[in-house]
Amino acid sequence: MNKIYIIDVTNRDGVQTAKLGLSKLEKTLINIYLNEMGIFQSEFGFPTTRHETNYLMANLELAEMGVLEPIRLGGWIRAIAQDVETTFKLIPTIRHLNLSISTSEQMIKSKFQGRIARDDVLKEMAEAVDAAKAHGAESIGVNAEDASRTGLNFLVRFGLKAKEHGAYRLRYCDTLGYDNPFTIYETIKALAENVGIPIEIHCHGDLGMAVANSIAGAKGAIDGGQDAYINTTINGIGERAGNADLLAVILALTKSKGFAGEYKLGNPIDLSKAWRIAKFASYAFKVPIPINQPGVGANAFAHASGIHADGMLKDPHNYELYNYKELGRGEPEQVETGREIITGEYGGISGFRHVMGKKEISISFANAEEARKILELARYANVEAQKPLVEDELRFIVRYPEQARKILSLTP
Ligand SMILES: [Zn+2]
């Protein structure tokens, strides 16, 4: 039976969201957490964007060292041959790419404005796939942007052309969140049947259906005889109303009526990391987790009304579908209410040694020189993040100072 894989796009769609962003070290931590969770692929950034170069190269280095393994690191670029050339010039070790081009009448008419026609879309995409193949890309996904407003016949032509040139997956982008579970199921099933390659499903929440559409699309791909790849973001952070939430998608796939046990994940996912990754993304993006967020919201396991509380006390299954412990929740959290010594971009050695020696981190240095070297990196990391570093960031800098230096190097 065909399977469902997750490709998380927080480090691409998440960071291109208006008013939000992540430091390169925060992006790296997200790749590490996704890897620990067992996510198949992280769309880790933009290979043609210069300020990403050092970050992307350092993360590929971490992959080679086995730190970011087995997760796949995939880049997102426009589906034009020139962008593929730039990609391999700047990031020669990249192996996984998604190539994106608009396919709808609306975009061809009103975005390209006569510059290219439908047949040119096919030609440009095919040339880009050829170029990526020639450079040795191991997996190539081809993205139909605004696919939900594109006619099925043209989508099939687009998919077949991509397949003919060696693409491994077709990404169906419901760029505007226009689909509903019924329409996306039918379209994706038809694409799977008629194109005959795995289908990737990229959904947005403009009508509040990103998660529902993602699992309906995945069902369509599998019922059509192909593997499904679902795009997610942590806490659903993404352009406008956001993307399909990573945790909600996994919960829907593994706990919902008719899906649980019926449809299979391509690789095991460790749900116990869900709490930590959601908390980190919330801190890094500076976006609070909504109180009613599935699984990780403050109210996700809270009960107040008499009938519910009574039912819960008798048997949690009365009013909970799954247990908070499965998601890594339940540990008490310490919040400092008195004196605090914090690392910062203008911090000094004694404060830094104090922070690193605290029992939650407990890192001591071999000598003063090593401590100063790590402090310098932590100061740069603070410049980029503009907020206190979390323990895992400090630990990362200590463990991988060379990669940290690269990640923190921005040279315009
Ligand atoms: Zn998107």
Side-chain angles (χ1 to χ4, degrees):
M1 188 179 174
N2 291 102
K3 293 185 172 147
I4 303 170
Y5 299 83
I6 306 284
I7 297 181
D8 188 85
V9 299
T10 306
N11 277 335
R12 202 273 302 167
D13 220 320
V15 297
Q16 72 185 42
T17 305
K19 304 167 198 170
L20 301 182
L22 296 173
S23 78
K24 305 304 183 200
L25 183 57
E26 287 164 345
K27 291 184 77 168
T28 305
L29 268 255
I30 280 180
N31 292 330
I32 289 174
Y33 291 145
L34 289 171
N35 182 49
E36 285 173 1
M37 207 171 169
I39 301 306
F40 175 75
Q41 180 167 325
S42 170
E43 188 151 280
F44 74 144
F46 304 86
T48 58
T49 302
R50 305 282 164 148
H51 63 69
E52 293 262 283
T53 304
N54 289 335
Y55 151 76
L56 294 171
M57 287 302 288
N59 274 258
L60 288 167
E61 225 171 277
L62 290 165
E64 215 148 279
M65 292 158 64
V67 180
L68 282 173
E69 213 248 347
I71 197 167
R72 278 187 182 186
L73 301 173
W76 183 99
I77 57 173
R78 295 179 300 176
I80 48 180
Q82 197 192 336
D83 276 20
V84 176
E85 297 304 328
T86 309
T87 293
F88 283 95
K89 206 172 98 204
L90 294 173
I91 322 287
T93 49
I94 199 156
R95 286 292 164 265
H96 307 285
L97 285 174
N98 267 77
L99 315 173
S100 183
I101 193 162
S102 305
T103 52
S104 66
E105 276 296 294
Q106 166 74 31
M107 294 289 188
I108 290 169
K109 226 170 49 202
S110 304
K111 194 171 88 169
F112 298 146
Q113 301 199 321
R115 191 175 54 78
I116 60 171
R118 269 195 156 182
D119 285 345
D120 303 319
V121 167
L122 299 180
K123 191 165 154 279
E124 290 211 354
M125 176 271 291
E127 283 170 6
V129 175
D130 288 345
K133 279 250 130 187
H135 280 286
E138 280 166 31
S139 78
I140 302 165
V142 167
N143 303 2
E145 196 208 21
D146 204 16
S148 48
R149 293 193 298 176
T150 306
L152 181 62
N153 287 344
F154 186 67
L155 276 182
V156 170
R157 273 181 70 201
F158 183 83
L160 286 172
K161 188 93 176 172
K163 178 185 174 185
E164 183 191 315
H165 285 258
Y168 292 80
R169 295 187 308 267
L170 171 63
R171 180 181 290 182
Y172 175 95
C173 303
D174 182 17
T175 308
L176 270 72
Y178 175 52
D179 260 308
N180 62 57
F182 311 104
T183 55
I184 201 168
Y185 172 82
E186 293 299 336
T187 310
I188 300 275
K189 185 163 175 273
L191 283 175
E193 286 168 349
N194 291 296
V195 179
I197 56 174
I199 310 288
E200 226 181 295
I201 301 126
H202 182 94
C203 297
H204 278 270
D206 299 73
L207 298 176
M209 292 186 283
V211 174
N213 286 344
S214 297
I215 68 160
K219 182 172 157 62
I222 288 177
D223 293 354
Q226 292 297 328
D227 283 340
Y229 291 76
I230 298 179
N231 287 179
T232 62
T233 62
I234 305 160
N235 300 339
I237 295 283
E239 292 195 284
R240 305 180 316 280
N243 293 55
D245 170 43
L246 170 69
L247 176 57
V249 164
I250 299 169
L251 289 171
L253 291 173
T254 55
K255 313 275 185 198
S256 74
K257 194 171 176 178
F259 253 91
E262 190 92 2
Y263 291 84
K264 302 249 174 312
L265 289 172
N267 44 312
I269 287 179
D270 182 358
L271 263 184
S272 74
K273 304 282 193 269
W275 176 244
R276 191 161 69 144
I277 199 168
K279 293 283 280 185
F280 178 74
S282 163
Y283 178 76
F285 276 117
K286 299 189 201 134
V287 177
I289 297 172
I291 193 170
N292 57 344
Q293 183 83 356
V296 289
N299 268 4
F301 299 95
H303 308 273
S305 78
I307 293 171
H308 281 232
D310 174 63
M312 278 306 299
L313 292 166
K314 287 172 177 151
D315 179 358
H317 287 122
N318 285 334
Y319 286 104
E320 282 177 2
L321 267 178
Y322 48 90
N323 194 293
Y324 63 88
K325 287 183 187 153
E326 278 182 70
L327 311 181
R329 287 184 77 151
E331 289 292 309
E333 272 177 359
Q334 253 192 347
V335 179
E336 191 58 69
T337 60
R339 180 175 300 121
E340 277 189 277
I341 309 279
I342 295 170
T343 64
E345 61 198 282
Y346 304 106
I349 195 72
S350 72
F352 184 64
R353 283 193 117 136
H354 169 82
V355 169
M356 298 303 272
K358 282 200 301 193
K359 71 171 185 321
E360 311 88 82
I361 310 181
S362 101
I363 288 171
S364 54
F365 298 101
N367 50 52
E369 196 203 332
E370 194 201 358
R372 257 192 297 274
K373 200 176 91 182
I374 301 299
L375 166 65
E376 192 61 4
L377 291 171
R379 290 170 69 159
Y380 272 88
N382 272 294
V383 170
E384 226 207 312
Q386 288 299 305
K387 54 177 130 21
L389 304 180
V390 302
E391 291 153 25
D392 284 342
E393 287 177 291
L394 291 168
R395 267 191 215 104
F396 177 85
I397 293 170
V398 172
R399 288 186 74 179
Y400 310 108
E402 284 318 308
Q403 285 69 37
R405 175 170 292 110
K406 211 171 270 181
I407 287 162
L408 296 168
S409 300
L410 295 176
T411 331

